Amino acid sequence: MLSRLTRPQALAVCALPVVALFATVIFAPLPFSVAQPGMTANVLGENRGTPVITIKGAPTHGTTGQLRMTTIEATGPKTNVSLGEVIDGWFATDRAIMPRDAVYPSGDDEQEIEEYNTEQMRQSQDSATAAALDYLDLDAKDVDVTLELADVGGPSAGLLFSLGIVDKLDDGDLTGGRTVAGTGTITDDGEVGAVGGVPLKTKSAARDGATVFLVPKDECADAQAELPDGLRLIPVTTLKGAIDALHALDAGKKVPSC
């Protein structure tokens, strides 16, 4: 014979599966990565004691100011991110929640990820060199450009690499003594492409002294969302457009804005 439960007892019994479900959701790993502002590097200078840009076969000149490429840092592909961390990240201004497959499109094997990012960086460097030399109308067979940036992968430094090469080879001065940061992929013919994590990159740029940030035009809205005080956004779609904007800024002329 079964005994009857009181109403409070029945409610408690019914609540147990619900509590268990919430506990599972809260603590279960989710397919997200937590990202934060990463390091920046001045492509006109050295990184870990090694020049970022080395040029042979053509005369170079000294530069002023800085051109800083920007990065984000994200939790690893096998790091468990809970619902609580996701909710906390949504409300934080110094972190962002990103789909894991957007951060690690090549999968979760760490060796494959490293190889993928290394290849993406190599292709970006090749395109950056090709775009810069094409802009300057220099023969790639006569000019040897070496780009070195330790522990950084992916294609998003392409624009800044190109600008650094142009600044070292061309007459004049791109930065006007300023610290200019930015992000963006680059193609061989100088087209600038969108990247991820722009709001976090603006924070790393401001942290490291930048007052100007070059952003792919399609990502203006993202960059404006949490823009640090004192950082000026300049939208770009091409290498030539970025160079023209920096020259106009130095001359006190009208410059595109987001």
Side-chain angles (χ1 to χ4, degrees):
M1 181 177 180
L2 296 175
S3 60
R4 296 183 63 186
L5 297 175
T6 65
R7 181 178 177 79
Q9 288 174 327
L11 290 174
V13 171
C14 292
L16 286 175
V18 177
V19 172
L21 177 61
F22 274 110
T24 300
V25 171
I26 290 173
F27 295 107
L30 297 174
F32 295 102
S33 289
V34 181
Q36 62 185 13
M39 57 83 76
T40 72
N42 176 23
V43 301
L44 296 176
E46 295 184 349
N47 177 246
R48 297 189 178 183
T50 301
V52 177
I53 301 174
T54 303
I55 299 174
K56 298 178 181 179
T60 61
H61 63 82
T63 59
T64 66
Q66 299 181 22
L67 287 169
R68 303 196 76 89
M69 55 78 64
T70 55
T71 67
I72 62 171
E73 296 176 357
T75 51
K78 295 183 179 179
T79 300
N80 291 334
V81 176
S82 68
L83 177 61
E85 291 174 302
V86 170
I87 294 173
D88 182 55
W90 274 333
F91 291 98
T93 59
D94 60 344
R95 297 185 302 284
I97 304 301
M98 303 176 68
R100 187 176 295 164
D101 57 4
V103 180
Y104 301 107
S106 61
D108 60 3
D109 183 277
E110 293 184 359
Q111 182 175 349
E112 290 182 1
I113 289 170
E114 183 176 354
E115 292 173 354
Y116 175 83
N117 286 337
T118 299
E119 177 60 18
Q120 289 284 297
M121 172 61 85
R122 186 194 64 77
Q123 292 178 5
S124 174
Q125 292 174 337
D126 290 346
S127 293
T129 300
L133 296 182
D134 180 66
Y135 172 82
L136 295 169
D137 198 24
L138 293 175
D139 191 340
K141 296 179 180 179
D142 298 327
V143 182
D144 180 27
V145 178
T146 302
L147 300 172
E148 294 284 346
L149 196 56
D151 299 328
V152 177
S156 66
L159 171 61
L160 271 294
F161 281 143
S162 284
L163 290 172
I165 295 168
V166 170
D167 204 15
K168 285 179 174 291
L169 286 170
D170 201 15
D171 292 333
D173 184 6
L174 284 184
T175 68
R178 299 176 179 83
T179 296
V180 176
T183 190
T185 63
I186 197 82
T187 64
D188 288 13
D189 57 359
E191 296 290 326
V192 176
V195 295
V198 169
L200 296 177
K201 291 178 179 180
T202 61
K203 288 179 171 55
S204 65
R207 179 199 65 205
D208 292 350
T211 57
V212 175
F213 192 91
L214 303 173
V215 60
K217 187 175 181 179
D218 289 344
E219 295 182 293
C220 267
D222 290 343
Q224 287 176 312
E226 297 175 1
L227 186 66
D229 292 338
L231 189 62
R232 180 175 185 171
L233 292 177
I234 297 180
V236 296
T237 59
T238 65
L239 173 61
K240 182 180 184 305
I243 293 170
D244 289 346
L246 290 176
H247 283 318
L249 183 65
D250 192 37
K253 297 180 180 178
K254 185 176 180 180
V255 178
S257 63
C258 288

